[in-house]
Amino acid sequence: MKTTALNLIALVGLSGVALAGPLTFDFKDPKGVNNATFTLDAPLEAISGSANGVSGTVTFDPANPAATKGKIVVAASSLHVPNPVMKDHLHGAQWMDVAKHPEIVFEAKEMKNVRTDGDVTTADVVGTFTAKGVSKEITVPVRFTYLKDRLAARGGNQQGDLLVLRSNFTIKRTDFGINPGAPQDKVANEIVIGLSIAGAAPRP
Amino acid sequence: MRRFVRILAVLVAVSAVAFWAATGANRGWTKTSVPVKTLDEITGIEAITYEDRFLPGVDFLGAAGVAAGLLVGVSFLFRKQTQQQQTVRT
């Protein structure tokens, strides 16, 4: 009787450990909400647009957010600006060359200055940013919001968790060979990037 | 004919400015789509979709100005009516 009780306690304990492990969140959002925005300053009007072709996975452990790893991919062909001529230029060889370089990637390697308050974790994420075939290590501030058991609330019958990532950071287009010849008094060298994405970790 | 082409030039310029003003007097570049933001209440993310809409900008005004200027230029190709021609017609 005593052995059975001990085994039961051990089983419950083990299942608890298994449940508390890292979760893998898929950022290919069927609702099409995920987006990355970009802005380059220019004399008449800032060049602003967005991309919604977001995918990738992030492994996040609510009990140990510092161990977060993952990769977010943005399809370069989904970059959109409201002016059709600008969009053609943006997709063209001088700017993003989307035919040759179809993906913009950020791969997280390390988390620094991790702070957790309830469901929200902020951290400086060190990782490799790749655009137009050029990879550079950068550090970006990221805010993670862990929404436990909120997947079903977005519709569908699937139970699970959500992870919302928000980040704003700046890169220099000349660092990535993005039209390095364009005069900087006509279009800024700094590209301000915003990321607002949600990933889902369904439970089987 | 000369007067007709000049009136046409003025019409082109005035209607371009009126159209530009009526669509919101966009001081940026011409756009063929405009972003529409909708809030996803669960995640708090603002989804961005684009609605097809023509929004003329300053380049549209410039093109209309050039077209009006060309029409004024073309009007000089037509001879000015003399007093004598006007008298003969009447």
Side-chain angles (χ1 to χ4, degrees):
Chain A
M1 184 65 186
K2 192 179 174 184
T3 313
T4 311
L6 280 172
N7 282 343
L8 195 64
I9 289 165
L11 190 67
V12 169
L14 280 173
S15 64
V17 169
L19 282 173
L23 301 163
T24 301
F25 292 85
D26 184 359
F27 282 78
K28 195 161 183 65
D29 181 18
K31 290 196 86 177
V33 165
N34 289 348
N35 66 80
T37 60
F38 57 92
T39 303
L40 292 90
D41 205 9
L44 177 66
E45 180 184 34
I47 300 163
S48 295
S50 64
N52 57 8
V54 178
S55 61
T57 55
V58 169
T59 305
F60 178 83
D61 185 350
N64 182 20
T68 302
K69 292 271 189 297
K71 184 166 127 173
I72 297 298
V73 180
V74 175
S77 61
S78 72
L79 293 167
H80 183 89
V81 286
N83 182 290
V85 178
M86 275 186 198
K87 187 177 173 180
D88 282 348
H89 289 170
L90 180 66
H91 286 203
Q94 276 194 316
W95 284 86
M96 294 307 294
D97 201 1
V98 301
K100 277 190 189 166
H101 306 288
E103 291 183 341
I104 301 161
V105 182
F106 181 76
E107 187 162 9
K109 289 181 174 171
E110 190 188 350
M111 303 265 284
K112 288 181 178 172
N113 304 322
V114 181
R115 287 193 188 93
T116 301
D117 182 12
D119 292 336
V120 177
T121 298
T122 56
D124 293 327
V125 180
V126 183
T128 307
F129 186 84
T130 305
K132 209 182 175 185
V134 179
S135 297
K136 283 199 181 294
E137 189 171 289
I138 61 169
T139 302
V140 298
V142 181
R143 180 186 166 97
F144 301 81
T145 307
Y146 174 58
L147 301 172
K148 188 171 169 57
D149 297 326
R150 296 293 284 159
L151 179 58
R154 294 190 88 201
N157 299 320
Q158 189 73 59
Q159 297 293 320
D161 305 334
L162 292 168
L163 182 68
V164 180
L165 264 65
R166 291 177 191 276
S167 181
N168 289 293
F169 58 99
T170 303
I171 60 163
K172 288 185 176 177
R173 63 181 167 82
T174 49
D175 287 349
F176 295 90
I178 301 167
N179 200 0
Q184 292 179 19
D185 56 335
K186 299 275 185 246
V187 55
N189 193 22
E190 289 77 23
I191 306 174
V192 181
I193 297 172
L195 199 65
S196 301
I197 55 176
R203 268 192 291 276
Chain B
M1 189 63 182
R2 190 176 194 171
R3 179 174 287 179
F4 170 75
V5 177
R6 286 185 182 176
I7 289 169
L8 191 65
V10 171
L11 274 176
V12 166
V14 169
S15 53
V17 172
F19 180 55
W20 173 77
T23 51
N26 167 33
R27 292 180 187 176
W29 300 108
T30 295
K31 296 166 179 66
T32 55
S33 60
V34 288
V36 178
K37 291 182 178 179
T38 46
L39 183 72
D40 179 86
E41 288 183 1
I42 306 300
T43 61
I45 294 174
E46 273 196 325
I48 304 170
T49 52
Y50 288 87
E51 184 183 287
D52 287 342
R53 197 195 310 164
F54 185 73
L55 197 64
V58 290
D59 48 340
F60 174 83
L61 282 182
V66 168
L70 281 172
L71 283 171
V72 170
V74 165
S75 76
F76 284 103
L77 299 175
F78 299 100
R79 277 194 303 165
K80 196 175 180 180
Q81 276 190 334
T82 60
Q83 190 73 33
Q84 196 180 8
Q85 282 173 317
Q86 282 179 341
T87 316
V88 168
R89 282 187 184 175
T90 53

